[in-house]
Amino acid sequence: MLTHAHALSDAASPTRRSFIAGGAALGAGIALSAATAANAAETKDGSSSAKDAPSTSAAADADATLPSFLAAPDPIPASAIAQTLECDVCVVGLGVAGVAAARAAAEGGLSVIALEKCSVPSCRSSQYACFNTDNARAMGIADVDTNELVNELMTQTGHRADARVLKNWADHCGEAFDWWANGYDGILWQVPGGEKYDRETQVFVSNGNAYEPYQYQRDHEHVVCGTLSFRSPDKAAGQGPIVTANWEKAQAAGAQGIFDTPARQLVKDGDAVVGVIAQSLADESYLQVNARKGVILATGGYVRNDEMLAYYIPWVYNNKDKFTFTYPHMDITGAYADQGDGQRMGFWAGGHIEEGPHCAMCHGDLGKLGVDAFLQLNANGERYINEDLTNDHFGSAILRQPGALIYQIFDANFPEQVGAMQAGLGTRQSVSQDDIDSVNDWTTAHGDTIDELIENLGVDEKVAATMKQQIERYNELAEKGVDEDFGKDASRMFALTTPPFYAIRYQVGAKTEDSASQNALRCLVTMSGLSTNKDAQVLAQGTLQPIEGLYAIGNTQGGRFLGDYPATIAGASHSIAMTYGYLTGRLLAEK
């Protein structure tokens, strides 16, 4: 018997008790009231509501233990369905993961219908982790021990991730990337020492992350070199032409796309998910897509859903004024796309949303020198950290300082010193001559002596005295060659001895006309979701056994990143999304 996911028979659905328990066990956070959900309004500035779904049931609203955004909506009646379509696979969401899944399934001979709430497939940025193929080797990427990489990622995520999910990605990301890149006919590979292509007119793959491998005890963070990037004239979208080309490949193989039509509810037959109900944003009519082999949720994250963000990632929500939220995609009503649709629909279908702490990709690569490991002092003038960090960890650290304010301090030797810094997300290993010549323009203050530098920063007497003492201490440790205070490697301890001396002042969230700094951290996406097994099958609440017919990939899939996004290997997020789209589409085609 076909049922809506949230209105199952007693035998097919979780009991009321287990349904509530599943919601209550989602992780630490604040449980928002149903009244908050009812009163919230989804707007262009990123606030959100549950308006995407029909009115919530009174029974669910009455349960104070269930976050309001997880209260199941009333079933959409069969009489409201204007059209029913049949296919093998329904892909919900056409970002990187969804496009890859649609193409792989269609090329495998399956009939595919893809639902997308926006008018076109969406994407951003351009980096992908890729290794262990001939193409990767030709691009200068040494082979990666996937067990070693997965173990490091597990350590970085506090062993909350699923090693099987990460290992399945790591073992297949190279072949998946080759397939994805070649989805753009005639893609160019800018191999080291080969022809240099023109980004203004050509689309190509490059290796912008070729640097010294990780060295134990020298490098504070374990960073793996294995990243390729797409370059194209569409600089804003980065990989836009690649995603478009792969969607065209999917269509050529028979996939059908239905745009401006977000999914609203899943349809179940007993315990199995067998379809999706979606709603046109143009005329508000309902469409049901029945999927014989499976439904793949690829709706992205929930960074624009205030209630979900507050519940799962309060350290971002409580600091919203200090972030810029950069994922730009909106539907035709002007509402942002990333509202956690897949996580909520999967939960209503009995799926388990992984325990926290959930992960957001939040970057803190600020200013001309990025997060290079120069001396940093906080608003009290105190050194507060081993400065040898990549950008995600730097951003987290600065939020925990008084006033979210720090100073990055260096001397005239900075152009040579940057070459000693560990390469990774947000770091700089070279400085252009133009930047060297304009240093007075992009720094906050400079001086021919340390005293003059501090005076030009305009801090009070107590902070000034602390700054001078801390700089003297730092110089002492640099000369000694041992960082007794924070353990930074001696190769990155540079005494401030050569004038002029410079400082960049960062105050995250500050409203300023000062062009010398960027005073905002970037929050790109959330990266946690429905628990799955290594084949992307969504796991059920309570039992953690696979739900037949339901899959989650991309930022809807859990088991990948918890806490902070690890900077261990750049491009891991895109790579896992694309790889799991490729693997899941192929898996369903082979069943």
Coordinates of all heavy atoms in Angstrom, one line a residue, residues 303-360:
V303 N 22.1 25.6 5.5 CA 22.8 26.8 6.0 C 21.9 28.0 6.1 O 22.0 28.9 6.9 CB 24.1 27.1 5.3 CG1 23.8 27.8 3.9 CG2 25.0 28.0 6.1
R304 N 20.8 28.1 5.2 CA 19.9 29.2 5.2 C 18.6 28.9 6.0 O 17.8 29.8 6.1 CB 19.5 29.5 3.8 CG 20.6 29.9 2.8 CD 21.1 31.2 3.0 NE 22.1 31.6 2.0 CZ 22.7 32.8 1.9 NH1 22.4 33.7 2.7 NH2 23.6 33.0 1.0
N305 N 18.6 27.8 6.7 CA 17.5 27.5 7.6 C 17.9 27.8 9.0 O 18.6 27.1 9.7 CB 17.1 26.0 7.4 CG 15.8 25.7 8.2 OD1 15.6 26.1 9.3 ND2 15.0 24.9 7.6
D306 N 17.4 29.0 9.5 CA 17.8 29.4 10.8 C 17.5 28.5 11.9 O 18.3 28.3 12.8 CB 17.1 30.8 11.1 CG 17.8 32.0 10.5 OD1 18.9 31.8 9.9 OD2 17.2 33.1 10.6
E307 N 16.4 27.8 11.9 CA 16.0 26.9 12.9 C 17.0 25.7 13.0 O 17.4 25.3 14.0 CB 14.6 26.5 12.8 CG 13.6 27.6 13.1 CD 12.2 27.2 12.8 OE1 11.9 26.8 11.7 OE2 11.4 27.3 13.7
M308 N 17.2 25.1 11.8 CA 18.1 24.0 11.8 C 19.5 24.4 12.1 O 20.2 23.7 12.9 CB 18.1 23.3 10.4 CG 16.8 22.7 10.0 SD 16.8 21.8 8.4 CE 17.8 20.3 8.9
L309 N 20.0 25.5 11.7 CA 21.3 26.0 12.0 C 21.5 26.2 13.5 O 22.5 25.9 14.1 CB 21.6 27.3 11.2 CG 23.1 27.7 11.2 CD1 23.9 26.7 10.4 CD2 23.2 29.1 10.5
A310 N 20.5 26.8 14.1 CA 20.5 27.1 15.5 C 20.5 25.8 16.3 O 21.2 25.7 17.4 CB 19.3 28.0 15.9
Y311 N 19.8 24.8 15.9 CA 19.7 23.5 16.6 C 21.0 22.7 16.5 O 21.5 22.2 17.4 CB 18.5 22.8 16.1 CG 18.2 21.5 16.9 CD1 17.4 21.5 18.0 CD2 18.7 20.3 16.4 CE1 17.1 20.4 18.7 CE2 18.4 19.1 17.1 CZ 17.6 19.2 18.3 OH 17.3 18.0 19.0
Y312 N 21.5 22.6 15.2 CA 22.6 21.7 15.0 C 24.0 22.3 15.1 O 24.9 21.7 15.4 CB 22.4 21.0 13.6 CG 21.3 20.1 13.5 CD1 20.2 20.4 12.6 CD2 21.2 18.9 14.2 CE1 19.1 19.5 12.5 CE2 20.1 18.1 14.1 CZ 19.1 18.4 13.2 OH 18.0 17.5 13.1
I313 N 24.1 23.6 14.7 CA 25.4 24.3 14.7 C 25.3 25.6 15.3 O 25.4 26.7 14.7 CB 25.9 24.4 13.2 CG1 25.7 23.1 12.4 CG2 27.4 24.7 13.2 CD1 26.2 23.2 11.0
P314 N 25.0 25.6 16.6 CA 24.8 26.9 17.3 C 26.0 27.8 17.3 O 25.8 29.1 17.4 CB 24.4 26.5 18.8 CG 24.9 25.1 18.9 CD 24.8 24.5 17.5
W315 N 27.2 27.3 17.2 CA 28.4 28.2 17.2 C 28.4 29.0 16.0 O 29.0 30.1 16.0 CB 29.7 27.4 17.4 CG 30.1 26.5 16.3 CD1 29.8 25.3 16.0 CD2 31.0 27.0 15.2 NE1 30.5 24.8 14.9 CE2 31.2 25.9 14.3 CE3 31.7 28.2 14.9 CZ2 32.0 25.9 13.2 CZ3 32.5 28.2 13.8 CH2 32.6 27.1 12.9
V316 N 27.8 28.6 14.9 CA 27.7 29.5 13.7 C 26.4 30.4 13.9 O 26.5 31.6 13.7 CB 27.5 28.6 12.4 CG1 27.2 29.5 11.2 CG2 28.8 27.9 12.1
Y317 N 25.3 29.8 14.2 CA 24.1 30.6 14.3 C 24.3 31.7 15.3 O 23.8 32.9 15.1 CB 22.9 29.7 14.8 CG 21.6 30.5 14.9 CD1 20.8 30.8 13.8 CD2 21.2 30.9 16.2 CE1 19.7 31.5 14.0 CE2 20.1 31.7 16.3 CZ 19.3 31.9 15.2 OH 18.1 32.7 15.4
N318 N 24.9 31.5 16.5 CA 25.0 32.5 17.5 C 26.0 33.6 17.1 O 26.1 34.6 17.8 CB 25.5 31.9 18.8 CG 24.4 31.0 19.4 OD1 23.2 31.1 19.1 ND2 24.8 30.0 20.2
N319 N 26.7 33.4 16.0 CA 27.7 34.3 15.5 C 27.4 34.8 14.1 O 28.2 35.1 13.3 CB 29.1 33.8 15.6 CG 29.7 33.6 17.0 OD1 30.1 34.6 17.6 ND2 29.7 32.4 17.4
K320 N 26.1 34.8 13.7 CA 25.7 35.1 12.4 C 26.2 36.4 11.9 O 26.4 36.6 10.7 CB 24.1 35.0 12.2 CG 23.6 33.6 12.1 CD 22.2 33.5 11.7 CE 22.0 34.0 10.3 NZ 20.6 33.8 9.8
D321 N 26.2 37.4 12.8 CA 26.7 38.7 12.4 C 28.2 38.7 12.0 O 28.6 39.7 11.4 CB 26.4 39.7 13.6 CG 27.2 39.3 14.8 OD1 27.3 38.1 15.1 OD2 27.7 40.3 15.5
K322 N 28.9 37.7 12.3 CA 30.3 37.6 12.0 C 30.6 36.8 10.8 O 31.8 36.7 10.4 CB 31.1 37.0 13.2 CG 30.9 37.9 14.5 CD 31.7 37.2 15.7 CE 31.6 38.1 16.9 NZ 30.3 38.3 17.4
F323 N 29.6 36.3 10.1 CA 29.8 35.5 8.9 C 29.1 36.2 7.7 O 28.1 36.9 7.8 CB 29.2 34.1 9.1 CG 29.9 33.2 10.0 CD1 29.6 33.1 11.3 CD2 31.0 32.5 9.5 CE1 30.3 32.3 12.2 CE2 31.7 31.7 10.3 CZ 31.4 31.5 11.7
T324 N 29.7 35.9 6.5 CA 29.0 36.1 5.3 C 28.6 34.8 4.8 O 29.4 33.8 4.9 CB 29.8 36.8 4.2 OG1 31.0 36.1 4.0 CG2 30.2 38.2 4.7
F325 N 27.3 34.6 4.3 CA 26.8 33.3 3.9 C 26.8 33.4 2.4 O 26.1 34.2 1.7 CB 25.4 33.1 4.4 CG 25.4 32.9 5.9 CD1 25.5 34.0 6.8 CD2 25.4 31.6 6.5 CE1 25.5 33.8 8.2 CE2 25.5 31.4 7.8 CZ 25.5 32.5 8.7
T326 N 27.6 32.5 1.8 CA 28.0 32.7 0.4 C 27.3 31.9 -0.7 O 27.5 32.1 -1.8 CB 29.5 32.5 0.2 OG1 29.8 31.1 0.6 CG2 30.3 33.4 1.2
Y327 N 26.6 30.8 -0.2 CA 25.9 30.0 -1.3 C 24.8 30.8 -1.8 O 23.8 31.1 -1.1 CB 25.4 28.7 -0.7 CG 25.3 27.6 -1.7 CD1 26.5 26.9 -2.2 CD2 24.1 27.2 -2.3 CE1 26.4 25.9 -3.1 CE2 24.1 26.2 -3.2 CZ 25.2 25.6 -3.7 OH 25.1 24.6 -4.6
P328 N 24.8 31.1 -3.1 CA 23.9 32.2 -3.7 C 22.6 31.7 -4.2 O 21.7 32.5 -4.6 CB 24.7 32.7 -4.8 CG 25.5 31.6 -5.3 CD 25.8 30.7 -4.1
H329 N 22.3 30.4 -4.4 CA 21.3 29.9 -5.2 C 19.9 30.1 -4.6 O 19.6 29.8 -3.5 CB 21.5 28.5 -5.6 CG 22.7 28.3 -6.4 ND1 22.9 28.7 -7.7 CD2 24.0 27.8 -6.0 CE1 24.1 28.4 -8.1 NE2 24.8 27.9 -7.1
M330 N 19.0 30.7 -5.4 CA 17.6 31.0 -5.0 C 16.6 30.4 -6.0 O 17.0 30.2 -7.2 CB 17.4 32.5 -5.0 CG 18.1 33.3 -3.9 SD 17.6 35.0 -4.0 CE 18.5 35.7 -2.6
D331 N 15.4 30.1 -5.5 CA 14.4 29.7 -6.4 C 13.7 30.9 -7.0 O 14.0 32.0 -6.7 CB 13.4 28.7 -5.7 CG 12.6 29.4 -4.6 OD1 12.4 30.6 -4.6 OD2 12.3 28.6 -3.6
I332 N 12.7 30.7 -7.8 CA 12.0 31.8 -8.5 C 11.2 32.6 -7.6 O 10.8 33.7 -8.0 CB 11.2 31.3 -9.7 CG1 10.1 30.3 -9.2 CG2 12.0 30.6 -10.8 CD1 9.1 29.9 -10.3
T333 N 11.0 32.2 -6.4 CA 10.2 33.1 -5.4 C 11.2 34.0 -4.6 O 10.7 34.8 -3.9 CB 9.4 32.2 -4.4 OG1 10.4 31.6 -3.5 CG2 8.6 31.1 -5.1
G334 N 12.5 33.8 -4.8 CA 13.5 34.6 -4.1 C 13.9 34.0 -2.8 O 14.6 34.6 -2.0
A335 N 13.6 32.7 -2.6 CA 14.0 32.0 -1.4 C 15.3 31.3 -1.6 O 15.4 30.7 -2.7 CB 12.9 31.1 -0.9
Y336 N 16.2 31.3 -0.7 CA 17.4 30.5 -0.8 C 17.1 29.0 -0.9 O 16.1 28.5 -0.2 CB 18.4 30.8 0.3 CG 19.1 32.1 0.2 CD1 18.7 33.2 0.9 CD2 20.1 32.3 -0.8 CE1 19.4 34.4 0.8 CE2 20.8 33.5 -0.9 CZ 20.4 34.5 -0.1 OH 21.1 35.7 -0.3
A337 N 17.9 28.3 -1.6 CA 17.6 26.9 -1.9 C 18.0 25.9 -0.7 O 17.3 24.9 -0.5 CB 18.4 26.4 -3.1
D338 N 19.1 26.3 0.0 CA 19.6 25.3 1.0 C 18.9 25.4 2.3 O 19.4 26.0 3.2 CB 21.1 25.5 1.1 CG 21.6 26.9 1.1 OD1 20.7 27.8 1.0 OD2 22.8 27.2 1.3
Q339 N 17.8 24.7 2.4 CA 16.9 24.7 3.5 C 16.8 23.4 4.3 O 15.9 23.3 5.2 CB 15.5 25.2 3.1 CG 15.4 26.5 2.5 CD 15.5 27.6 3.5 OE1 15.2 27.4 4.7 NE2 16.0 28.8 3.1
G340 N 17.6 22.4 4.0 CA 17.5 21.2 4.7 C 16.4 20.3 4.2 O 15.9 19.4 5.0
D341 N 15.9 20.5 3.0 CA 14.7 19.7 2.5 C 15.0 18.2 2.6 O 14.1 17.5 3.1 CB 14.4 20.1 1.1 CG 14.1 21.6 0.9 OD1 13.9 22.3 1.9 OD2 13.9 22.0 -0.3
G342 N 16.1 17.8 2.1 CA 16.4 16.3 2.1 C 16.5 15.7 3.5 O 16.0 14.6 3.7
Q343 N 17.2 16.5 4.4 CA 17.3 15.9 5.8 C 15.9 15.8 6.4 O 15.6 14.8 7.1 CB 18.1 16.9 6.6 CG 19.6 16.9 6.3 CD 20.0 17.8 5.2 OE1 19.2 18.3 4.4 NE2 21.3 18.1 5.0
R344 N 15.0 16.8 6.2 CA 13.7 16.7 6.8 C 12.8 15.6 6.2 O 12.2 14.8 6.9 CB 13.0 18.1 6.7 CG 13.7 19.1 7.7 CD 12.9 20.4 7.6 NE 13.1 21.1 6.4 CZ 12.3 22.0 5.9 NH1 11.1 22.2 6.5 NH2 12.5 22.6 4.7
M345 N 12.8 15.6 4.9 CA 12.0 14.5 4.2 C 12.5 13.1 4.6 O 11.7 12.2 4.8 CB 12.1 14.7 2.7 CG 11.2 15.9 2.2 SD 11.1 15.9 0.4 CE 12.8 16.2 -0.1
G346 N 13.8 13.0 4.6 CA 14.4 11.7 5.0 C 14.0 11.3 6.5 O 13.7 10.1 6.8
F347 N 14.0 12.3 7.3 CA 13.6 12.0 8.7 C 12.1 11.6 8.8 O 11.7 10.7 9.5 CB 13.8 13.3 9.6 CG 13.4 13.1 11.0 CD1 14.3 12.5 11.9 CD2 12.2 13.6 11.5 CE1 13.9 12.4 13.3 CE2 11.8 13.4 12.8 CZ 12.7 12.8 13.7
W348 N 11.2 12.3 8.1 CA 9.8 12.0 8.1 C 9.6 10.6 7.5 O 8.6 9.9 7.9 CB 9.0 13.0 7.2 CG 9.1 14.4 7.8 CD1 9.3 14.8 9.1 CD2 9.0 15.6 7.0 NE1 9.4 16.1 9.1 CE2 9.2 16.7 7.9 CE3 8.9 15.9 5.6 CZ2 9.2 18.0 7.5 CZ3 8.9 17.2 5.2 CH2 9.0 18.2 6.1
A349 N 10.5 10.1 6.7 CA 10.4 8.8 6.1 C 11.0 7.7 7.0 O 11.0 6.5 6.7 CB 11.1 8.7 4.7
G350 N 11.4 8.1 8.2 CA 12.0 7.2 9.2 C 13.5 7.2 9.2 O 14.1 6.4 9.9
G351 N 14.2 8.0 8.4 CA 15.6 8.1 8.4 C 16.2 8.7 9.7 O 15.5 9.5 10.3
H352 N 17.4 8.4 9.9 CA 18.1 8.9 11.1 C 19.1 10.1 10.7 O 19.9 9.9 9.8 CB 19.0 7.8 11.7 CG 19.8 8.2 12.9 ND1 21.1 8.5 12.8 CD2 19.5 8.4 14.2 CE1 21.6 8.9 14.0 NE2 20.6 8.8 14.8
I353 N 18.9 11.2 11.3 CA 19.8 12.4 11.2 C 20.9 12.2 12.2 O 20.7 12.0 13.4 CB 19.1 13.7 11.4 CG1 18.0 13.9 10.3 CG2 20.1 14.8 11.3 CD1 17.2 15.2 10.4
E354 N 22.2 12.2 11.7 CA 23.3 11.8 12.5 C 23.4 12.8 13.7 O 23.1 14.0 13.7 CB 24.6 11.9 11.7 CG 25.0 13.2 11.2 CD 26.2 13.2 10.3 OE1 27.1 12.3 10.5 OE2 26.3 14.0 9.3
E355 N 24.0 12.2 14.8 CA 24.2 13.0 16.0 C 25.3 14.1 15.7 O 26.1 13.9 14.8 CB 24.7 12.1 17.1 CG 23.6 11.3 17.8 CD 23.1 10.1 17.0 OE1 23.8 9.8 16.0 OE2 22.0 9.6 17.3
G356 N 25.3 15.1 16.5 CA 26.3 16.2 16.3 C 27.6 15.9 17.0 O 27.8 14.8 17.5
P357 N 28.5 16.8 16.9 CA 28.3 18.2 16.4 C 28.3 18.2 14.9 O 29.3 17.7 14.3 CB 29.5 19.0 17.0 CG 30.6 18.0 17.1 CD 29.9 16.7 17.5
H358 N 27.2 18.7 14.3 CA 27.2 18.9 12.8 C 28.3 19.8 12.4 O 28.8 20.6 13.2 CB 25.8 19.4 12.4 CG 24.8 18.3 12.4 ND1 23.6 18.4 11.7 CD2 24.8 17.0 12.9 CE1 22.9 17.3 11.8 NE2 23.6 16.4 12.6
C359 N 28.6 19.8 11.1 CA 29.7 20.5 10.5 C 29.2 21.6 9.5 O 28.3 21.3 8.7 CB 30.6 19.5 9.8 SG 32.0 20.2 8.9
A360 N 29.9 22.7 9.6 CA 29.7 23.7 8.5 C 31.1 24.0 8.0 O 32.1 24.0 8.7 CB 29.1 25.0 9.1

